[in-house]
Amino acid sequence: MPYFSLWWHLQHPSAEVREYACASISKLLQQKHVIPAFVQRDVVRCLGPLLMDHSLAVRETAAGALRNLSACGGFDVCDDMVTNDIMTPLVALLKECSTGLDANELSPKKCRGTNKNYIEDIANEAINLLWNICQCLRTGSIINECNNTALYIFNKEGCLEAVLRYMKKFATNVDLAISVANCLQAVTEDNPDLLSSFNASAQQILETVMLCPESTMKHILLRTLIAGTIWNIKDTIPPGSLGSTVNAILKVFSESLAMDAGETIIRMNEAEKNRLKLVVEAETEENMSDAAENCILSEDDNMEEIPKGKLRRENDISDLLPSDKWELKEVTALLTAQQTALEIIVNMCCSEDPSDDEWEEHSSSDESDLFMENSYNEGSGLLLSPLCLSDEVNSAFLNNLIPKKILEKTAFPNSVALDICMHNSSWKPLIKKLNAVQCRALTCLQSILLVSDVDCLGGALALQSLAQHLSQLIFSKTELPTDTEFLEAVTSALRALLQTMASKNISQCMTPEQLLALCEAGIQSSNVSVRVNMVSILGISGSVLAKGQDTAETLKMIGKFLLEVAMKESSLVVAGEALDALFDVFADGKEAEKAALQIKLLPTLKEFQPVFRMRMRKEGKGQYSTDQLCVLDNKRLHRGCLCLSFSAE
């Protein structure tokens, strides 16, 4: 390929040629299809040494190229970078830059008379590279050896001290601070060996940033990321201070979630139009002034010629105008802050990892009623499950109106804002971010429903209203939504809500006909989680109906549907969930017994039992995880058949 001639330029004696080669490679690496070829040619080993080049410009462009490689290459490329020892020059660069942040060392490092600060710009590229590599820890559930190596080096080499030194620049360089905050959130997650490095001084730096009063959306994002980092290191916080710390964290999240992203898009788009109009007017005025000055100069032969573009006027405002697309950057920062806040709240709700046995218990809908009964304490009014919110978090949630603000984010994005984004190519990527915020809010809602007391959620009427809201999201169009991420999030929230309502004998607002229509459409989804949610929702609702009167006909329809799913579903996980739902619905009650006899449920299940076991042996171990196989335990089918047998007797 012609661009491999750039390899020779990386070793050129001229710093400008090396800078050009790095910049060219950096641009090429933004195209994913060329990355494998560059990796095969050892691009990491070629660019790595340039991180310590004598030229600051080369360092910056080399770091930028490696940053693009890590961002666009994904998980495998980041692993390859660690394997090829990118951490050694990267750590050296980070430490050297951190020692050059003092003001007396910065002035000679500035670029050719401009305001560009090479030290901070190099640091920003290097921090983003480090963040991208460590971000691999958060892209999968399993931390591989290379990820461990990256974190081990970060911990061992004392990188935290250097990184926190960059954070001190937050007042003058918020972009650098945001990069540092992103990196800190990544390296502090599931990294207990780093906790001892967060002494009082380090915690003070984080606290200062989290409490900074600046109101720009970039600062909101910065505070949100720092709040997430503080949550990650909560084990270092003295017990007596934990309550106030949690309250401060949730106050930051509340501030972020309180902002209406749709209205902000509308307002910022209008601000951009006004700014660009001013730019055009200023350029027109400058061109007219230049033409007049040139006319005067041509009349005076003795006057020294002034180079074009050097003339300036006292009222020139071009240097005072915001940088290009700053409005878009602000909105992007807000949406990122909201998405981040919601993701961290989910982690707060699920901060205690249950054991495999507990997960199996949660996943088994035939045991969920028993679980809810055993975990509810009438005296305290709090759920005592392994996923329970602590008193500090529960109180802070309510004080900062977190549930209310999360619920607001579950609504569909503002239609006017969507229209603006649709008709502006630069703003179009915001649509994906708006949808992501909605999906994260629904996931957050699901987590809160699983761990919060009914009274904390507003009581029975609030839950019924919430059920109507979720059903409106699902049935807002004539056809079921096709966005699988949204569908998974909304059905997961609905499943958790219906389970909570059923456990407290709160009447459900969705009719059986609506639920059947929903499940019949949802079972066609290509997403396994969506299909699991659908059969679980039907099982929850069916178990409620089984306790009522004159429901046998509806139970028959539910039973036939679930039987068909169990016997024909391609996914063992969905089939297993359908069996669980059947045992839920027909475990007890005269109406359930009547319906079960009419659809010949028990003989059908007994006939199906050896077929399912054979599928388990053939497909189970090769295609499904241990957790999924726990849900599909052979004993469950046998136990369910026995329960139905005793019920029939």
Side-chain angles (χ1 to χ4, degrees):
M1 296 181 182
Y3 46 73
F4 285 126
S5 62
L6 294 169
W7 254 239
W8 302 105
H9 294 153
L10 292 175
Q11 308 300 324
H12 198 278
S14 169
E16 290 186 355
V17 174
R18 297 197 301 277
E19 179 186 359
Y20 167 79
C22 289
S24 300
I25 292 173
S26 180
K27 187 174 181 179
L28 287 167
L29 288 174
Q30 296 179 45
Q31 307 171 45
K32 289 188 177 182
H33 68 276
V34 308
I35 289 179
F38 274 92
V39 172
Q40 287 180 345
R41 296 291 295 266
D42 281 338
V43 65
V44 176
R45 292 188 183 276
C46 293
L47 290 173
L50 296 180
L51 292 177
M52 298 303 294
D53 194 275
H54 294 300
S55 166
L56 296 179
V58 173
R59 291 187 183 191
E60 182 183 7
T61 50
L66 288 165
R67 173 186 176 181
N68 287 346
L69 176 64
S70 63
C72 301
F75 188 88
D76 291 335
V77 170
C78 287
D79 281 352
D80 183 74
M81 295 176 79
V82 175
T83 302
N84 283 286
D85 197 27
I86 193 60
M87 293 297 291
T88 297
L90 179 57
V91 169
L93 177 63
L94 286 168
K95 288 185 174 181
E96 185 171 316
C97 286
S98 71
T99 61
L101 288 177
D102 295 334
N104 62 337
E105 293 184 35
L106 284 179
S107 51
K109 310 291 185 182
K110 291 185 179 180
C111 174
R112 301 165 188 148
T114 71
N115 289 326
K116 178 178 175 62
N117 187 315
Y118 261 131
I119 294 294
E120 293 184 9
D121 289 348
I122 293 170
N124 193 36
E125 296 290 352
I127 287 289
N128 274 283
L129 171 57
L130 178 61
W131 172 39
N132 289 343
I133 292 173
C134 294
Q135 186 73 356
C136 291
L137 293 169
R138 306 177 66 188
T139 60
S141 59
I142 299 176
I143 301 176
N144 69 6
E145 185 177 347
C146 289
N147 293 135
N148 280 326
T149 301
L151 276 186
Y152 174 78
I153 294 173
F154 184 93
N155 298 343
K156 180 185 176 184
E157 295 295 330
C159 294
L160 180 63
E161 181 181 354
V163 168
L164 288 175
R165 195 173 297 171
Y166 297 130
M167 181 58 75
K168 292 180 181 179
K169 289 291 178 179
F170 77 94
T172 56
N173 193 337
V174 68
D175 291 324
L176 175 60
I178 288 173
S179 298
V180 172
N182 274 312
C183 185
L184 281 174
Q185 196 185 11
V187 299
T188 54
E189 186 169 358
D190 299 321
N191 186 7
D193 293 340
L194 186 62
L195 294 182
S196 60
S197 300
F198 279 94
N199 53 29
S201 175
Q203 292 182 17
Q204 181 63 46
I205 294 172
L206 298 181
E207 182 181 344
T208 300
V209 177
M210 188 173 72
L211 299 178
C212 71
E214 284 80 1
S215 59
T216 72
M217 285 168 239
K218 284 187 176 181
H219 283 90
I220 290 175
L221 172 58
L222 175 61
R223 287 194 289 271
T224 301
L225 292 167
I226 292 299
T229 299
I230 293 175
W231 175 255
N232 287 345
I233 64 167
K234 61 185 179 297
D235 291 343
T236 67
I237 299 171
S241 304
L242 185 60
S244 59
T245 300
V246 169
N247 194 64
I249 290 172
L250 288 174
K251 185 176 180 180
V252 170
F253 295 161
S254 178
E255 173 195 31
S256 169
L257 296 174
M259 297 193 69
D260 188 322
E263 291 297 326
T264 303
I265 287 175
I266 296 170
R267 179 166 48 85
M268 284 295 180
N269 183 256
E270 189 63 29
E272 182 186 65
K273 290 178 181 177
N274 292 334
R275 176 176 62 83
L276 294 177
K277 182 179 178 182
L278 284 174
V279 169
V280 171
E281 291 175 354
E283 289 177 349
T284 302
E285 182 181 348
E286 184 175 359
N287 290 337
M288 292 175 63
S289 177
D290 286 347
E293 292 288 352
N294 288 335
C295 181
I296 295 172
L297 289 174
S298 64
E299 294 176 359
D300 189 353
D301 293 337
N302 295 325
M303 187 171 185
E304 182 182 356
E305 182 179 356
I306 301 177
K308 183 178 180 181
K310 295 296 184 181
L311 288 171
R312 295 183 56 82
R313 302 178 314 282
E314 290 183 357
N315 63 345
D316 183 7
I317 63 168
S318 59
D319 289 344
L320 302 178
L321 292 172
S323 59
D324 188 37
K325 299 187 184 304
W326 76 269
E327 299 90 354
L328 177 58
K329 292 176 181 177
E330 284 284 287
V331 177
T332 302
L334 173 62
L335 290 171
T336 304
Q338 292 183 344
Q339 180 177 335
T340 302
L342 292 166
E343 290 171 352
I344 297 170
I345 291 172
V346 170
N347 290 338
M348 295 176 80
C349 292
C350 306
S351 59
E352 296 295 333
D353 294 330
S355 66
D356 291 341
D357 292 338
E358 288 164 344
W359 273 122
E360 181 182 356
E361 182 176 355
H362 293 318
S363 63
S364 171
S365 57
D366 62 329
E367 298 169 356
S368 55
D369 285 343
L370 178 63
F371 167 73
M372 294 296 285
E373 290 170 5
N374 290 339
S375 63
Y376 188 77
N377 184 313
E378 293 292 346
S380 67
L382 292 174
L383 287 173
L384 304 178
S385 74
L387 301 179
C388 183
L389 293 176
S390 65
D391 291 341
E392 292 90 349
V393 178
N394 215 349
S395 175
F397 259 56
L398 296 176
N399 291 339
N400 291 285
L401 302 176
I402 294 294
K404 177 178 181 293
K405 291 172 182 177
I406 290 171
L407 181 58
E408 291 171 353
K409 298 304 174 190
T410 64
F412 286 118
N414 185 307
S415 58
V416 177
L418 284 176
D419 189 63
I420 289 172
C421 297
M422 282 293 296
H423 293 89
N424 188 325
S425 59
S426 297
W427 291 61
K428 199 167 185 177
L430 293 182
I431 297 175
K432 187 174 181 180
K433 284 190 166 291
L434 285 166
N435 292 333
V437 168
Q438 183 191 25
C439 290
R440 298 302 183 277
L442 287 165
T443 302
C444 207
L445 177 62
Q446 174 203 3
S447 298
I448 291 176
L449 285 166
L450 290 172
V451 300
S452 295
D453 173 55
V454 172
D455 292 335
C456 293
L457 298 170
L461 290 177
L463 293 184
Q464 290 175 331
S465 175
L466 179 55
Q468 290 179 338
H469 169 66
L470 294 179
S471 63
Q472 287 171 359
L473 291 179
I474 295 172
F475 296 112
S476 59
K477 299 177 182 178
T478 55
E479 296 181 354
L480 199 68
T482 56
D483 183 347
T484 55
E485 184 182 8
F486 167 75
L487 196 55
E488 180 180 351
V490 73
T491 54
S492 296
L494 181 60
R495 175 183 178 177
L497 174 61
L498 293 179
Q499 181 63 68
T500 300
M501 295 174 73
S503 68
K504 301 303 169 204
N505 295 318
I506 300 172
S507 59
Q508 301 181 5
C509 300
M510 295 181 71
T511 66
E513 290 75 21
Q514 281 181 314
L515 288 169
L516 274 170
L518 169 64
C519 294
E520 286 172 355
I523 205 67
Q524 307 300 322
S525 172
S526 60
N527 185 291
V528 170
S529 296
V530 172
R531 302 203 300 276
V532 166
N533 286 337
M534 292 301 181
V535 295
S536 178
I537 286 170
L538 202 55
I540 294 166
S541 300
S543 64
V544 172
L545 288 172
K547 299 173 184 176
Q549 300 293 325
D550 301 323
T551 57
E553 288 302 314
T554 304
L555 293 174
K556 280 170 59 178
M557 290 189 291
I558 292 175
K560 288 178 180 179
F561 177 85
L562 292 174
L563 268 177
E564 184 175 5
V565 173
M567 291 188 289
K568 295 183 179 180
E569 169 62 47
S570 60
S571 167
L572 273 175
V573 174
V574 181
E577 191 70 33
L579 289 170
D580 275 348
L582 278 167
F583 303 148
D584 273 355
V585 175
F586 295 98
D588 192 22
K590 292 184 179 180
E591 294 296 312
E593 181 181 340
K594 186 191 305 182
L597 288 172
Q598 291 179 13
I599 64 174
K600 300 179 180 178
L601 178 60
L602 184 56
T604 303
L605 286 176
K606 286 184 175 179
E607 185 179 340
F608 177 60
Q609 188 173 4
V611 177
F612 189 74
R613 282 179 172 171
M614 184 171 292
R615 279 194 67 186
M616 282 280 294
R617 284 195 296 268
K618 290 178 65 176
E619 303 174 30
K621 293 184 179 179
Q623 297 183 20
Y624 299 99
S625 67
T626 304
D627 289 340
Q628 289 172 322
L629 289 174
C630 285
V631 179
L632 297 171
D633 185 0
N634 281 330
K635 296 177 183 178
R636 182 157 297 157
L637 180 57
H638 180 65
R639 185 171 67 244
C641 289
L642 285 176
C643 290
L644 292 176
S645 298
F646 291 134
S647 177
E649 293 173 1

